[in-house]
Amino acid sequence: MNSSPGDLHRRNFLRGSAVAALAIFGGGALAACTSAVSQQRGGDDNAQPVRGGTLKYGVLVDLVPANLLTNTGTTPYVVGLVFETLVRYPHDKFEPQPLLAKSWTVAPDGKSITLDLRDDVKFHSGRPFTSKDVEFSLRTYADPKWSGQLKSTAAAITGIDSSDPHRVTLTLAHPLSNLFDLLDTVPILDSESIDQLGTGEKIVGTGPFRFTQRIPNQQLVFEKNPNYWVPDRPYLDRVEITIIPDNQAQLNALKTGQIHLADGVTYRDNENLAKTDGYRVITYEGAEIEIYVGANVADPVLSDVRLRQAIAYAVDRERIIAEVFRGAGYAANLPWPKNSPAFDAARNTRYSRDVAKAKQILAQLPKPPKIPLTYNTALSAYEATAQIVQANLAEVGIEVELTPTDNATFVKQLIGAQFPGLWITDHSWAQFVPSTLTVSAYPFNARKNASHFESPAYVAAADAAWQLPQSTGPDAIRAYQALSDQLLDSLFLIEIGVRYSQGSASRKLHGFNWTKRRELALTEAFLA
């Protein structure tokens, strides 16, 4: 490689619709501004809540309204502002806390759950929230047209009793070890505006902020919900999400006071920012994601598991975590983060880097033709990772051709299983109950996945973990070990490692929080 990952992070100061961001901010938006920088440095960690103000957030990619029930791109930020769920997990454990559901009772056989609902909640339209909205939301989420990752779990709900407006009972086809993952994930939707949700014309929920405006590829605007059920919240009057698709432009906008929060500052720049007065780097603990190499096993070359094993031995995971992600993560062979009940240190090192072993395997195979390696251009770290993987594979005798792809097209290819060869991206969901990953996530779904991988043994292992009444305990551990063995033996996905997502913020911002899906949780946020 001729370019280091650091060089890749600093491509083109402004490109594409970053020019539109300049227009939104004003003519001198990205110029140095002493007063703006001084304002960024206002406030300290002991600041008292302040009412009012507009939080300005720079993001890399625009919202794709049709993907609002997925966990892709900018969706989590919008969902966190506008919508709420029945329960919410804390960052560090699978112990659901009340949200729109006040309390619940799970039947002894694990085949039903009754939830008591809040009676003081209204949609942004003013309509009261009731059990009928729970029923509508769960059934909508189960509809394949919305591509919700947990739709198979939603579809396992065989009956919904919503006769009491403030109580709902869900009957299940079988026990669900990830039932609360579903209840933490499905946003409560407004049936009256659902036809306009997928187009982005109306996004109506019960959350702390109301959606008011969208300028495609430029900006999304949200205003305080004046009838929010949490007394005297939120503190902020307004949130503006501006699309700034260039890493360096986001960093400059943050430093010059044009935004308070950024989602696309590179790991290398965040290292420096964390040492700079007036800024903080937010590590989304509990919302870990994993970067991986995917393989289309329907391709005749990649169909041979021995070639995939050679790739797994060739990839320099430690280098990628150290250089691209600046140590904010750790190498892994399996998808589970260290705080998962499925984490297994012994199994997690089966494919440690071994160039000699990779070459030995390849010596038994015909020389493979050049293989396309697709990556998403939305994040410079994907390109840096792809270049390291390209060099690793070339070292053992596998030639790949890098195929940069815009975000919207990449997500479409992922959901539609349309990658021609290899691809690099992140996956989520492993930070939840382990069974959620293998019955839900596009790359891992045992019945239909982006790799076209099919295996009765993998389906059986996924179902066994999914249909347990508990997500922890000896039976669960054995089920997760069986799942891990299936993943290591088949290698239709080749894990690189866990990485911690990061946000970059002015120290003016306080009370910032997130969910396990990195959804914005700004009920307590304020600008000092």
Side-chain angles (χ1 to χ4, degrees):
M1 293 190 311
N2 295 323
S3 300
S4 71
D7 296 329
L8 293 169
H9 292 158
R10 291 167 173 80
R11 300 166 299 166
N12 302 328
F13 178 75
L14 284 173
R15 74 180 173 209
S17 58
V19 176
L22 182 64
I24 291 170
F25 290 144
L30 298 179
C33 175
T34 303
S35 62
V37 172
S38 298
Q39 290 172 3
Q40 288 289 77
R41 292 176 177 168
D44 58 36
D45 290 335
N46 297 315
Q48 294 300 306
V50 176
R51 295 196 179 279
T54 298
L55 174 66
K56 298 183 179 181
Y57 187 15
V59 303
L60 288 171
V61 298
D62 193 13
L63 176 72
V64 180
N67 292 344
L68 265 165
L69 298 191
T70 73
N71 193 37
T72 59
T74 299
T75 294
Y77 313 144
V78 174
V79 169
L81 292 171
V82 175
F83 295 103
E84 292 175 302
T85 53
L86 292 169
V87 305
R88 178 164 292 168
Y89 284 134
H91 296 163
D92 58 346
K93 58 190 71 171
F94 304 129
E95 294 180 4
Q97 305 299 308
L99 197 57
L100 294 184
K102 298 186 298 182
S103 61
W104 48 86
T105 302
V106 179
D109 64 0
K111 292 186 178 181
S112 69
I113 181 172
T114 298
L115 301 105
D116 290 310
L117 309 176
R118 299 193 66 92
D119 60 4
D120 56 353
V121 178
K122 293 182 179 180
F123 284 93
H124 299 153
S125 62
R127 184 173 65 81
F129 157 69
T130 73
S131 59
K132 294 292 185 186
D133 299 300
V134 175
E135 179 174 8
F136 175 79
S137 300
L138 289 168
R139 296 202 187 284
T140 300
Y141 191 90
D143 186 338
K145 81 172 187 178
W146 286 99
S147 299
Q149 283 102 317
L150 274 75
K151 61 180 180 290
S152 58
T153 301
I157 299 172
T158 56
I160 302 178
D161 180 355
S162 57
S163 56
D164 183 329
H166 305 304
R167 174 175 291 181
V168 63
T169 297
L170 311 179
T171 303
L172 313 176
H174 48 74
L176 294 170
S177 61
N178 68 336
L179 174 61
F180 286 101
D181 287 14
L182 179 73
L183 303 183
D184 174 83
T185 296
V186 175
I188 297 302
L189 305 169
D190 173 41
S191 59
E192 294 182 352
S193 60
I194 192 67
D195 291 341
Q196 294 163 291
L197 180 65
T199 62
E201 295 171 69
K202 285 188 177 181
I203 307 175
V204 178
T206 65
F209 293 90
R210 299 181 299 123
F211 169 74
T212 59
Q213 185 182 27
R214 176 175 180 244
I215 306 172
N217 297 312
Q218 294 186 28
Q219 195 173 57
L220 296 141
V221 178
F222 307 84
E223 294 181 354
K224 175 180 180 177
N225 175 6
N227 299 312
Y228 190 47
W229 59 271
V230 178
D232 302 319
R233 298 293 187 277
Y235 292 117
L236 294 166
D237 284 338
R238 183 178 168 103
V239 177
E240 294 177 358
I241 293 179
T242 300
I243 292 82
I244 311 175
D246 181 85
N247 309 114
Q248 191 66 43
Q250 279 202 21
L251 177 62
N252 287 343
L254 182 66
K255 284 185 172 181
T256 55
Q258 307 306 312
I259 59 176
H260 306 102
L261 182 65
D263 81 339
V265 175
T266 67
Y267 283 84
R268 187 180 294 273
D269 284 331
N270 271 335
E271 271 190 313
N272 296 324
L273 201 63
K275 304 170 187 175
T276 304
D277 183 35
Y279 304 95
R280 60 164 56 92
V281 175
I282 301 164
T283 298
Y284 296 110
E285 295 181 2
E288 296 90 345
I289 55 180
E290 290 78 27
I291 191 159
Y292 70 96
V293 179
N296 175 9
V297 302
D299 176 82
V301 175
L302 292 169
S303 65
D304 192 325
V305 71
R306 292 174 296 174
L307 180 61
R308 306 198 297 273
Q309 289 172 342
I311 294 171
Y313 282 119
V315 173
D316 193 341
R317 296 168 179 81
E318 300 287 352
R319 179 186 172 192
I320 291 169
I321 296 299
E323 291 187 12
V324 180
F325 302 106
R326 311 306 298 166
Y330 45 91
N333 284 186
L334 285 163
W336 325 115
K338 290 179 179 179
N339 59 2
S340 169
F343 181 78
D344 185 323
R347 285 175 168 82
N348 210 40
T349 56
R350 181 186 297 186
Y351 296 104
S352 297
R353 178 165 161 81
D354 191 330
V355 172
K357 186 168 287 189
K359 289 181 176 179
Q360 182 182 22
I361 293 171
L362 288 169
Q364 306 169 27
L365 305 174
K367 180 173 175 57
K370 185 181 291 186
I371 303 170
L373 175 59
T374 306
Y375 65 88
N376 190 336
T377 56
L379 190 68
S380 62
Y382 295 147
E383 181 173 4
T385 300
Q387 290 205 354
I388 292 174
V389 170
Q390 181 184 42
N392 293 159
L393 298 188
E395 185 178 357
V396 301
I398 301 172
E399 189 177 3
V400 301
E401 180 178 5
L402 300 187
T403 307
T405 305
D406 68 89
N407 179 69
T409 303
F410 189 95
V411 172
K412 181 179 179 181
Q413 288 180 306
L414 178 67
I415 295 174
Q418 297 169 358
F419 294 114
L422 300 171
W423 71 91
I424 285 176
T425 191
D426 295 310
H427 70 78
S428 188
W429 300 108
Q431 75 274 32
F432 284 85
V433 170
S435 60
T436 283
L437 187 76
T438 52
V439 299
S440 304
Y442 303 131
F444 287 90
N445 192 314
R447 286 179 167 80
K448 183 181 180 182
N449 53 67
S451 295
H452 298 280
F453 176 72
E454 298 179 0
S455 163
Y458 180 45
V459 170
D463 284 351
W466 183 42
Q467 296 176 16
L468 291 169
Q470 302 291 334
S471 61
T472 57
D475 289 344
I477 296 302
R478 284 190 290 272
Y480 302 151
Q481 289 173 341
L483 269 181
S484 293
D485 289 340
Q486 287 292 321
L487 293 170
L488 290 170
D489 290 344
S490 61
L491 281 181
F492 61 96
L493 300 175
I494 299 160
E495 295 285 340
I496 295 174
V498 172
R499 73 173 179 92
Y500 294 103
S501 290
Q502 295 180 338
S504 318
S506 159
R507 284 197 175 270
K508 288 188 62 169
L509 175 61
H510 300 266
F512 177 81
N513 205 348
W514 60 91
T515 72
K516 276 186 169 291
R517 285 175 308 284
R518 302 180 312 283
E519 293 166 349
L520 293 182
L522 300 184
T523 304
E524 302 293 329
F526 62 94
L527 297 171

